[in-house]
Amino acid sequence: MGPPIDPSAPVTETYGEGSRKYRRTVYTHNEWVKHRSSDRFVSNLTTLTGSGIYKNIGKEVLATTSVAAFVWAWNFVSGGYEDFSGVMHDPLIASKWATEIGLPLTIFTTLSPSLGLLLVFRTNASYNRWDEARKFWGLNINHTRDLNRMATAWYGNDSSPGSASAPKQIAKAIDPAEREYLLGQVSLFTWAFVRSMKRHLSPPDEDEEDYIAELKSRLSPEQADAIISATHRPNRALFDLSVVIEKLPMHFMRKNEINKNLSIFEDTLGGSERLLSSPVPLFYSRHTARFISIWLLFLPFALYGQFGDSWNHIMMIPASLLISVFLFGIEELATQLEEPFTILPMQGFCDKIGANCDEIVSWAGQDVYKIPDEVIEQMEMERPELEMKSNLALLGGEVEEDVVEEPKKKRKILKKLLRIGEGM
């Protein structure tokens, strides 16, 4: 995927800010096969002139090439020249002040390691920002699934985790319509949060209309308006999700486990806001840009003498052009990566999360696993006897073996229930 190559496409869509939305690539197996293809080198070379990166540095490359052309032309007329037949001619400008211009190459070879380090640190810092943003969205994807999975599996379970009374509690009647509605709300507000986060991190002119239309198409008018009118929309969507979770009929300890995912969402949201509002320190970026600009603009003065074997040193012009393209290109890559959200496929992430959550909450929960009546009766028959022995042991100061074995019996019953559930 990349910027459009159709000649009729607007120029603003082929490079610069307009091209960023075409760089939101999501790879599948087919894309990886193409990515590893042995033809990738030829393909990348044939698209060299259409690269949005190189188009974006056109002014800088033109300035460097112009300096190289000036150095060549000045030395051509002031230092003598060789015609096409190989005959040398006197300078066209015969004056004591009209002399060849140039610089020793030692200056640039001495500064090259420093320039390399600056570019490496610049690109590494920018890539780390992109990688961190992608990991934030990876956490969103993972924990939205986790949240909806727990809500679906634990719906209607009023017992605490690990409680031996869980089987009887699960057997309580659950209203299918109420279950479908509440879990559907969990899925909707999970999607509403990530979609609001995507809008929060995107340019307003690119996403505002689509965002409003999507929310109004999936949420009720009151719910959609509450989020759209909020000052901080992701926070409002997260609050609504918290309210829905609180309405779920389950033990509060289970709700606490679900709410841990919401805390992670707050972390990913806050981390993303940090990346969006805090660039790589400007003094570092500016110094790197100034360093590479001055280095490349003066490089043609040193290259002139190095291409004495070519006709009138003319090959120093294309050499200057190529060097400036590649070095300015590295700095441009770092600049493009520095703000990662407009090149991440966040809309694709949101659509994926919405589809996954809708599927998860549609699955059958614990209410469909019917506990055999004989198992429940066995538990009811054993409970009074165990309670009586427990009380006698407390009064007499002794703990009988049956009382110690009570947790083991309950665990055996739970294991039996699990085997029955797996066979259904």
Side-chain angles (χ1 to χ4, degrees):
M1 185 177 181
I5 58 176
D6 185 356
S8 62
V11 176
T12 54
E13 296 285 298
T14 61
Y15 71 97
E17 290 300 313
S19 69
R20 289 180 70 82
K21 59 177 172 287
Y22 298 105
R23 305 187 187 281
R24 300 164 188 171
T25 307
V26 178
Y27 264 36
T28 62
H29 177 71
N30 292 334
E31 281 75 23
W32 280 114
V33 171
K34 183 179 179 181
H35 185 76
R36 295 188 294 263
S37 171
S38 59
D39 298 331
R40 64 186 183 275
F41 298 104
V42 175
S43 176
N44 290 332
L45 287 175
T46 55
T47 58
L48 183 68
T49 56
S51 170
I53 293 293
Y54 298 147
K55 288 181 180 179
N56 220 34
I57 58 174
K59 294 179 181 178
E60 292 86 349
V61 173
L62 178 61
T64 304
T65 308
S66 298
V67 170
F70 168 78
V71 171
W72 178 83
W74 176 262
N75 289 341
F76 184 90
V77 299
S78 63
Y81 64 95
E82 178 184 355
D83 61 21
F84 291 113
S85 59
V87 178
M88 290 297 301
H89 296 270
D90 293 332
L92 298 178
I93 301 177
S95 174
K96 62 180 180 178
W97 54 265
T99 59
E100 289 187 348
I101 53 178
L103 289 172
L105 190 62
T106 307
I107 299 174
F108 298 90
T109 55
T110 303
L111 291 176
S112 292
S114 300
L115 177 61
L117 285 175
L118 281 175
L119 290 176
V120 167
F121 291 152
R122 179 81 171 92
T123 51
N124 280 352
S126 296
Y127 175 78
N128 287 337
R129 290 169 60 86
W130 178 90
D131 185 56
E132 190 175 7
R134 180 61 184 87
K135 288 177 179 176
F136 285 148
W137 276 95
L139 286 173
N140 282 343
I141 293 173
N142 294 344
H143 287 278
T144 51
R145 294 170 179 169
D146 199 35
L147 185 155
N148 283 266
R149 174 187 58 79
M150 290 190 288
T152 303
W154 293 344
Y155 187 92
N157 195 333
D158 290 331
S159 65
S160 61
S163 171
S165 62
K168 186 175 180 181
Q169 299 293 338
I170 296 171
K172 292 174 60 177
I174 293 176
D175 182 358
E178 181 183 12
R179 179 182 185 277
E180 180 181 0
Y181 172 75
L182 288 177
L183 291 180
Q185 290 292 292
V186 172
S187 174
L188 276 176
F189 281 110
T190 303
W191 168 83
F193 164 70
V194 293
R195 186 61 183 86
S196 298
M197 180 173 169
K198 188 262 181 185
R199 168 63 199 89
H200 188 64
L201 301 171
S202 301
D205 56 347
E206 176 187 310
D207 195 41
E208 180 69 15
E209 293 183 1
D210 292 339
Y211 168 74
I212 293 175
E214 287 182 42
L215 253 63
K216 289 185 175 181
S217 67
R218 298 197 62 177
L219 302 178
S220 68
E222 295 79 12
Q223 292 170 339
D225 290 339
I227 296 177
I228 293 170
S229 61
T231 303
H232 197 288
R233 291 165 171 174
N235 274 347
R236 174 64 202 216
L238 208 56
F239 167 78
D240 291 338
L241 179 57
S242 299
V243 172
V244 173
I245 292 172
E246 189 61 28
K247 293 179 181 178
L248 297 177
M250 64 179 64
H251 195 274
F252 76 92
M253 291 180 67
R254 299 181 186 275
K255 292 180 182 179
N256 288 345
E257 288 299 314
I258 295 177
N259 277 308
K260 289 180 181 178
N261 292 292
L262 273 62
S263 298
I264 293 174
F265 296 156
E266 288 283 12
D267 291 339
T268 61
L269 175 60
S272 297
E273 290 175 330
R274 168 177 53 81
L275 291 177
L276 184 64
S277 60
S278 304
V280 172
L282 294 178
F283 53 82
Y284 186 91
S285 303
R286 289 170 179 169
H287 179 70
T288 303
R290 291 164 183 156
F291 193 126
I292 191 173
S293 297
I294 294 174
W295 194 90
L296 285 172
L297 286 172
F298 281 92
L299 182 63
F301 292 91
L303 289 181
Y304 183 82
Q306 304 302 312
F307 286 90
D309 293 336
S310 63
W311 182 75
N312 290 311
H313 307 252
I314 196 169
M315 290 306 296
M316 57 90 66
I317 298 177
S320 299
L321 184 147
L322 285 176
I323 295 172
S324 63
V325 164
F326 296 136
L327 290 183
F328 276 129
I330 294 174
E331 202 277 336
E332 177 66 17
L333 286 175
T335 303
Q336 293 293 328
L337 281 171
E338 189 175 0
E339 189 276 281
F341 299 107
T342 48
I343 56 174
L344 280 175
M346 294 190 293
Q347 184 64 49
F349 296 154
C350 293
D351 295 340
K352 181 179 183 179
I353 289 171
N356 288 343
C357 292
D358 288 343
E359 181 186 25
I360 291 172
V361 298
S362 70
W363 294 338
Q366 299 187 61
D367 55 304
V368 302
Y369 298 112
K370 304 300 182 183
I371 302 174
D373 294 337
E374 60 270 17
V375 176
I376 297 177
E377 291 175 2
Q378 182 181 358
M379 292 180 65
E380 292 295 333
M381 290 174 62
E382 292 180 352
R383 181 174 294 130
E385 180 182 356
L386 293 172
E387 289 177 354
M388 181 182 66
K389 290 182 178 181
S390 177
N391 292 333
L392 289 174
L394 290 174
L395 291 173
E398 297 179 359
V399 180
E400 297 189 12
E401 183 180 353
D402 288 343
V403 178
V404 176
E405 293 295 322
E406 179 182 357
K408 295 182 179 179
K409 292 181 178 179
K410 292 182 178 181
R411 285 197 293 270
K412 288 180 180 179
I413 295 173
L414 287 175
K415 290 180 180 179
K416 183 177 181 181
L417 286 174
L418 290 175
R419 287 196 298 270
I420 294 172
E422 291 173 356
M424 294 182 63

